[in-house]
Amino acid sequence: MKISHIEHLGIAVKSIEEALPYYENVLGLKCYNIETVEDQKVKTAFLKVGDTKIELLEPTSPESTIAKFLETKGPGFHHIAFAVEDGVANALAECEANGIRVIDKAPRNGAEGLKIAFLHPKSTQGVLTELCED
Ligand code: ZN
């Protein structure tokens, strides 16, 4: 596959409202979008950092994978998202052909209207990995 850049870094937080002052007032980044992704049961906040972004993820339900992540690991780094040039469906097929465990068998809708799919951290050197395309 061909990765063009790191689209964003995902960070799990208990509360976007409580996390934002650090990112905005201390780091001087600007939040430009807050959006709820219903099927992932998360609220997301995006901040630009040069050519990439930070995505803050807050659970909207105790069943959210982010809620489970916060319970076991606490707030912090959650996933890396790579932008793929040849499409998420092709990249997924390539991963499966290489024996990589995928969480999503097919691309689905993520925040910001992106097509996304996650790869399992057991197959990605321990880092939950998201592939995305605009
Ligand atoms: Zn993400």
Side-chain angles (χ1 to χ4, degrees):
M1 77 182 74
K2 193 154 183 233
I3 287 168
S4 58
H5 61 286
I6 294 174
E7 218 284 330
H8 61 267
L9 298 172
I11 294 170
V13 298
K14 284 190 180 129
S15 156
I16 283 174
E17 197 190 336
E18 282 171 30
L20 271 183
Y22 165 70
Y23 287 93
E24 296 198 303
N25 304 337
V26 180
L27 299 184
L29 303 174
K30 197 167 168 15
C31 173
Y32 66 91
N33 185 29
I34 292 182
E35 181 182 339
T36 299
V37 184
E38 293 297 347
D39 75 320
Q40 285 178 266
K41 300 184 177 72
V42 288
K43 186 162 124 187
T44 62
F46 283 91
L47 304 104
K48 274 213 159 65
V49 192
D51 288 336
T52 189
K53 301 162 190 163
I54 286 177
E55 174 186 39
L56 303 178
L57 300 143
E58 173 193 318
T60 56
S61 147
E63 277 92 66
S64 163
T65 55
I66 297 299
K68 283 164 198 156
F69 180 92
L70 288 169
E71 251 168 51
T72 53
K73 299 191 174 147
F77 179 73
H78 181 259
H79 67 272
I80 188 166
F82 293 115
V84 293
E85 287 186 350
D86 43 1
V88 172
N90 289 332
L92 273 180
E94 207 177 305
C95 286
E96 291 206 271
N98 283 302
I100 301 291
R101 223 169 117 187
V102 301
I103 292 172
D104 301 301
K105 294 261 179 206
R108 59 188 166 91
N109 296 324
E112 300 203 298
L114 296 176
K115 288 249 175 292
I116 65 158
F118 280 94
L119 307 179
H120 199 283
K122 285 228 157 75
S123 286
T124 57
Q125 310 299 316
V127 178
L128 178 61
T129 299
E130 178 181 356
L131 303 174
C132 52
E133 71 178 282
D134 329 75

